[in-house]
Amino acid sequence: MGNVLGLIFANMHDMTVGELTKNRTMGSVLFGGRYRLIDFPLSNMVNSGINAVGVITKDNYQSLLDHLGSAREWDLARKKGGLYILPPFGNANAALYTGRIEALNGAMSLIKHSLCDYVVMSDCDVVTNIDYRPIVESHIESGADITVVAHTGQYSNEEIKMSTVVNTGDDGRVKSVLIRPDLSGTCTCSLNVFVMKKDFLIDLINDSISRGHVSFETDVLQSKCNELKIQAYEYDNYFSKITSIGSYFKANMDLLDPANAAKLYLPKRAIYTKVSDNAPAKYDLNCHVVNSLIADGCIIEGEVENSVIFRGVRVGKNAKVKNCILMQGTVVADGAECNYLITDKNVNIGKNRILTSSPSYPMYVGKGASL
Amino acid sequence: MVGELIMFNKKECVAMLLAGGQGSRLYALTQTVAKPAVPFGAKYRIIDFPLSNCINSGIDTVGVLTQYQPLVLNEYIGNGQPWDLDRLHGGVHVLSPYEKASGKDWYSGTANAIYQNIPFIERYDPEYVVVLSGDHIYKMDYNKMLDFHKAKNAAATIAVLDVPKEEASRFGIMITDDEDNIIDFEEKPKNPRSTLASMGIYIFDWKKLKKYLIANEEDENASKDFGKNIIPDMREAGEKLVAYRFDGYWKDVGTIDSLWEANMDLINPNIPIDLYDPAWKIYSRNPILPPQSIGHNAQIQNSMVTEGCFIDGSVEFSIISEGVIIEEGAVIYDSILMPGAHIKKGAKVEYAIVGEDSVIGENAQIGARPETIEDKDTWGVAVVGNKLNISDNANVVPKAIIYEDM
């Protein structure tokens, strides 16, 4: 698949997990014990043979740049192709882009100069291990202008209100598009992965910009639904869509089930991430750990249950951590108790502190806070 | 004149790492890999320690001398990037013996290995050469040793460790005067005259070392070895040899027992080797695997575990490398599981080393606790080699070394 350009939108859906994206892009939100959300689309692209990838950023992208570095860990430090980071483009007085079309317009020079025939675009809100090759093949075969990857299933009202819903005919052709409708039940939701011919995309961007259209969802998918041939590609493999703090929490916890983890971490299609050279995790003499994910660099002296523990976390003696997501560098001091907590990076939970929340709304503790 | 255009920046100090040993005393573990590439401490290989010490000491030019089973080692070192040794000038280079116009030679000894690579060292025009070995576990700032070497104005400095008197006869012992000058030495003496054991770490003035290497090479009867020839030759010629006292953790891992002990030292809180010090990280080629997954039935105590493992059994006082699977009801005590080992339901692994990608069948018993054995002489660490299948209910007795499926 040498003739496909990948484009990843790092900032799309930032507002869905507002607390987590206060200081970072959606793409750099930490996930699953040692990853950031961008690792999934980026690794998927590399594993699908896409070796030129542009990452489109908007703001707060310092942590993203730090994470991606030279992109060596994704095998994208290349002379030919490789990773292109695309910060907002425009003159000093121009405002930041507001929609996907404007963002694409900022990446126009990369798209134009790419030798690729096709473009695969992905956001960072879906955690999955997807092979883009059959999707591109299906796109070519169907002769569609745009292919939208979507999944038909049961969704909650909360999920649908954060999604683009496509109604398709039997042949998979999209007949109508609803944006963030107030529905629940069975429907086909877009996974925000799109395939187009490069030349088509360039014309589409130019045309949309000249008409003042900025939203890909509203001004293209919805308005031009009948004019263009938009095809839905039904995706059935394991995925988690992150539409809120609640679904972020659930998506992490789902990986405690080895059956789910086995569908996400495929031996032949690994998920790559930044290497941080931590020592192995150390389990102390009186620790008690069950049903949890633990990353390297952790030192566990207390109890951990049903939790996702990121790299370099310390859980002190007699501390109890249950149903928590503890991000990189969190320290839970001796005797402290945490239940239904999401701690951002480098949070300190003081000695004997007790912090309890509920499954319906896990408590979030901001980066670097000391409690 | 093309050669003239290739620029090599001068380096004050170049490290030469002797990684050639077959490591025959590690038996089944070194059938297809050189000793320095043997897994250690859950996510490392032995060579990570000297390589990390080099880069942490500011030495960015390292030659790795090897001639036994180089495939795994070559692949592991690659371009040196995991150790930050992928450099524009210098970096890490694997130096295998090669055919020359004058003939071809395997490395016939430690000194000969360096002698054959004089052209490599000369490219960097160094003042000093550090000679290291690839089978020791320790954290050491070679720069401090180099400062000592310079301050003493020595021709050669040998790092030494003060060992307990009863252990001294296992080492090469250095006898020094009040000012740490080496006045004599003895190899594995029955009645040691000193307790300063050589750690196999040398710093030489390059010009002087080169002279002795060439002279030694010309002597047909010499065994081409640092300990047997070069150091004695330098002393006889009246060169200044000094001992540099090191007081941190250091362990030779050349035998099954010492390899097992050194792994166990990592989980002993009373042993001073800290892998969690951000100022002196031990780097390694990281596996690309998800975090370790601990199941509902797991019980883990006083152990080290790394990425990609799935643990649903009991693990105590053990070192669990990447990608290991321990099924429900399996019991691992005081053992080392190397990358990819799979321990099936109900199997019991005690005081044992299980090699890479080996599978231990259901209810098999590998090794035993010393207290359950009456004749202590028959007790020892049991070893299952790499890529082996041990069938259900099999019994591998203590001290056994398994090379084939059973």
Side-chain angles (χ1 to χ4, degrees):
Chain A
M1 239 170 61
N3 64 341
V4 177
L5 171 70
L7 286 177
I8 295 175
F9 295 84
N11 287 82
M12 289 287 165
H13 317 288
D14 276 3
M15 60 294 172
T16 61
V17 285
E19 297 100 321
L20 294 172
T21 51
K22 194 171 159 230
N23 298 307
R24 57 172 79 91
T25 68
M26 185 74 174
S28 38
V29 166
L30 290 87
F31 185 83
R34 68 189 299 253
Y35 300 98
R36 292 187 187 247
L37 290 177
I38 197 169
D39 292 338
F40 295 89
L42 197 54
S43 302
N44 289 332
M45 286 186 179
V46 170
N47 291 334
S48 302
I50 299 175
N51 51 33
V53 180
V55 174
I56 299 174
T57 64
K58 184 177 183 181
D59 44 28
N60 274 342
Y61 50 83
Q62 211 174 66
S63 60
L64 186 76
L65 295 188
D66 175 54
H67 181 67
L68 295 174
S70 67
R72 190 175 49 214
E73 275 102 350
W74 296 265
D75 203 18
L76 285 172
R78 303 283 189 90
K79 286 198 172 175
K80 214 173 153 186
L83 184 77
Y84 302 88
I85 294 174
L86 305 161
F89 190 75
N91 66 43
N93 302 321
L96 287 171
Y97 65 78
T98 53
R100 196 187 294 273
I101 301 272
E102 280 180 292
L104 283 165
N105 195 39
M108 194 57 132
S109 117
L110 171 69
I111 301 170
K112 266 189 181 161
H113 290 109
S114 158
L115 297 172
C116 303
D117 296 324
Y118 296 92
V119 177
V120 170
M121 312 193 312
S122 175
D123 294 348
C124 294
D125 62 329
V126 175
V127 174
T128 188
N129 194 318
I130 185 171
D131 187 349
Y132 299 113
R133 279 172 287 204
I135 303 169
V136 174
E137 277 161 28
S138 149
H139 174 80
I140 297 169
E141 213 167 277
S142 69
D145 295 311
I146 301 170
T147 295
V148 181
V149 179
H151 174 77
T152 309
Q154 285 281 331
Y155 292 95
S156 68
N157 176 259
E158 183 206 88
E159 286 170 315
I160 297 184
K161 271 166 83 178
M162 297 304 288
S163 296
T164 301
V165 173
V166 295
N167 296 313
T168 60
D170 292 341
D171 56 355
R173 171 132 188 208
V174 177
K175 294 197 290 194
S176 67
V177 172
L178 297 170
I179 291 158
R180 300 167 186 251
D182 192 3
L183 298 171
S184 62
T186 304
C187 65
T188 307
C189 282
S190 160
L191 298 183
N192 300 319
V193 173
F194 309 101
V195 182
M196 274 164 276
K197 224 178 179 153
K198 182 186 90 171
D199 294 340
F200 173 83
L201 178 63
I202 293 171
D203 292 345
L204 186 72
I205 298 167
N206 286 335
D207 182 67
S208 301
I209 292 291
S210 68
R211 292 169 202 273
H213 294 164
V214 294
S215 166
F216 183 74
E217 279 76 4
T218 318
D219 300 324
V220 177
L221 293 181
Q222 193 168 48
S223 306
K224 297 186 174 176
C225 187
N226 296 312
E227 190 184 319
L228 299 174
K229 188 179 180 192
I230 302 174
Q231 197 74 20
Y233 180 95
E234 182 65 25
Y235 181 69
D236 266 333
N237 291 350
Y238 179 81
F239 75 92
S240 302
K241 194 167 176 180
I242 292 161
T243 53
S244 63
I245 283 279
S247 62
Y248 169 81
F249 185 76
K250 185 174 178 303
N252 275 280
M253 291 304 166
D254 282 349
L255 293 174
L256 294 180
D257 182 347
N260 290 334
K263 291 175 201 157
L264 185 61
Y265 304 120
L266 307 178
K268 303 267 177 201
R269 296 214 306 261
I271 304 299
Y272 310 100
T273 191
K274 185 183 174 185
V275 165
S276 57
D277 294 296
N278 285 299
K282 197 172 194 173
Y283 296 78
D284 207 58
L285 197 53
N286 294 310
C287 80
H288 179 71
V289 181
V290 285
N291 195 38
S292 294
L293 292 174
I294 313 281
D296 272 357
C298 291
I299 298 180
I300 314 281
E301 296 174 293
E303 286 179 33
V304 178
E305 207 180 316
N306 308 335
S307 295
V308 175
I309 311 293
F310 282 73
R311 298 190 270 206
V313 167
R314 309 280 156 123
V315 176
K317 288 189 176 66
N318 299 316
K320 289 189 173 69
V321 174
K322 280 185 183 168
N323 310 302
C324 288
I325 298 174
L326 306 184
M327 293 186 200
Q328 222 164 300
T330 294
V331 177
V332 180
D334 294 355
E337 290 182 24
C338 308
N339 200 2
Y340 291 105
L341 215 62
I342 300 175
T343 63
D344 209 311
K345 284 176 77 174
N346 305 322
V347 165
N348 278 298
I349 312 257
K351 239 182 175 176
N352 302 324
R353 280 296 308 258
I354 298 179
L355 297 162
T356 302
S357 187
S358 71
S360 54
Y361 199 85
M363 190 200 299
Y364 168 79
V365 183
K367 190 173 171 179
S370 278
L371 297 174
Chain B
M1 289 300 286
V2 174
E4 297 287 312
L5 295 174
I6 301 170
M7 302 278 281
F8 289 93
N9 282 12
K10 182 180 167 69
K11 300 281 180 184
E12 187 192 26
C13 187
V14 167
M16 297 299 272
L17 208 164
L18 300 163
Q22 180 191 347
S24 52
R25 286 174 302 153
L26 290 179
Y27 303 100
L29 300 173
T30 49
Q31 287 289 293
T32 56
V33 296
K35 181 159 59 175
V38 167
F40 180 84
K43 71 175 289 188
Y44 307 100
R45 290 183 185 258
I46 295 168
I47 198 169
D48 288 331
F49 287 80
L51 284 181
S52 300
N53 285 338
C54 280
I55 197 68
N56 287 331
S57 305
I59 297 172
D60 63 8
T61 306
V62 184
V64 177
L65 303 148
T66 179
Q67 64 185 1
Y68 174 77
Q69 289 285 4
L71 178 67
V72 176
L73 190 62
N74 271 330
E75 199 174 63
Y76 187 70
I77 292 175
N79 68 350
Q81 182 272 322
W83 305 269
D84 216 2
L85 286 169
D86 55 333
R87 292 304 176 96
L88 214 48
H89 301 287
V92 63
H93 298 263
V94 176
L95 305 168
S96 299
Y98 55 94
E99 197 172 353
K100 305 158 198 71
S102 56
K104 45 192 166 185
D105 282 308
W106 292 99
Y107 295 149
S108 56
T110 50
N112 175 260
I114 307 281
Y115 169 83
Q116 290 202 40
N117 287 289
I118 288 175
F120 169 80
I121 299 171
E122 295 271 88
R123 288 177 160 218
Y124 301 100
D125 188 22
E127 304 298 321
Y128 309 100
V129 168
V130 185
V131 176
L132 306 168
S133 83
D135 47 8
H136 298 151
I137 302 297
Y138 63 108
K139 295 187 351 183
M140 179 175 179
D141 190 342
Y142 303 134
N143 223 3
K144 284 190 185 158
M145 180 170 166
L146 183 59
D147 288 344
F148 178 83
H149 176 86
K150 290 181 200 167
K152 288 280 183 183
N153 202 15
T157 300
I158 301 173
V160 294
L161 191 71
D162 203 351
V163 297
K165 186 132 192 156
E166 58 275 18
E167 283 181 31
S169 53
R170 288 171 39 217
F171 297 97
I173 295 297
M174 301 289 139
I175 295 113
T176 57
D177 66 13
D178 294 343
E179 288 176 336
D180 289 325
N181 290 305
I182 297 171
I183 48 174
D184 200 0
F185 33 76
E186 36 194 20
E187 189 61 25
K188 295 183 183 158
K190 278 211 179 76
N191 300 305
R193 285 148 62 200
S194 132
T195 52
L196 297 178
S198 165
M199 297 164 63
I201 300 162
Y202 309 90
I203 292 181
F204 294 97
D205 260 42
W206 171 237
K207 284 191 184 71
K208 287 195 172 144
L209 174 62
K210 190 179 155 192
K211 191 178 94 186
Y212 287 94
L213 286 173
I214 293 169
N216 182 47
E217 199 56 33
E218 283 164 357
D219 177 0
E220 280 180 18
N221 299 319
S223 48
K224 318 284 193 290
D225 184 89
F226 271 94
K228 292 193 186 103
N229 303 134
I230 303 296
I231 302 294
D233 290 352
M234 289 179 90
R235 188 187 58 140
E236 266 162 45
E239 299 284 4
K240 187 174 169 75
L241 306 181
V242 296
Y244 172 73
R245 289 164 188 263
F246 177 71
D247 59 4
Y249 176 87
W250 176 88
K251 194 147 199 145
D252 180 292
V253 286
T255 64
I256 292 292
D257 286 345
S258 63
L259 178 68
W260 181 85
E261 277 167 24
N263 271 283
M264 293 303 140
D265 284 347
L266 296 177
I267 42 179
N268 183 343
N270 301 319
I271 301 276
I273 179 153
D274 177 14
L275 299 179
Y276 297 84
D277 176 6
W280 202 276
K281 278 188 178 184
I282 303 301
Y283 300 97
S284 67
R285 194 169 280 280
N286 280 243
I288 300 159
L289 290 168
Q292 47 209 273
S293 177
I294 311 301
H296 287 280
N297 306 302
Q299 249 192 323
I300 309 177
Q301 302 234 306
N302 206 42
S303 294
M304 261 181 165
V305 184
T306 191
E307 312 297 34
C309 292
F310 175 70
I311 299 182
D312 209 20
S314 295
V315 177
E316 284 183 24
F317 294 90
S318 292
I319 301 287
I320 313 296
S321 313
E322 70 247 26
V324 164
I325 298 172
I326 301 171
E327 295 184 8
E328 186 188 342
V331 173
I332 317 296
Y333 291 145
D334 304 275
S335 292
I336 301 158
L337 304 187
M338 291 191 170
H342 182 170
I343 315 298
K344 294 202 170 166
K345 283 194 178 72
K348 209 166 183 187
V349 179
E350 298 177 297
Y351 289 87
I353 301 176
V354 177
E356 293 184 60
D357 299 317
S358 284
V359 180
I360 307 299
E362 288 183 18
N363 303 313
Q365 169 86 35
I366 313 294
R369 291 180 166 280
E371 53 268 30
T372 63
I373 304 290
E374 267 183 43
D375 180 4
K376 296 289 182 242
D377 288 343
T378 64
W379 183 84
V381 174
V383 179
V384 173
N386 298 329
K387 297 189 172 66
L388 298 184
N389 277 299
I390 304 299
S391 56
D392 294 354
N393 306 310
N395 183 16
V396 172
V397 299
K399 221 174 182 173
I401 292 175
I402 307 299
Y403 291 87
E404 288 170 346
D405 291 354
M406 68 176 271

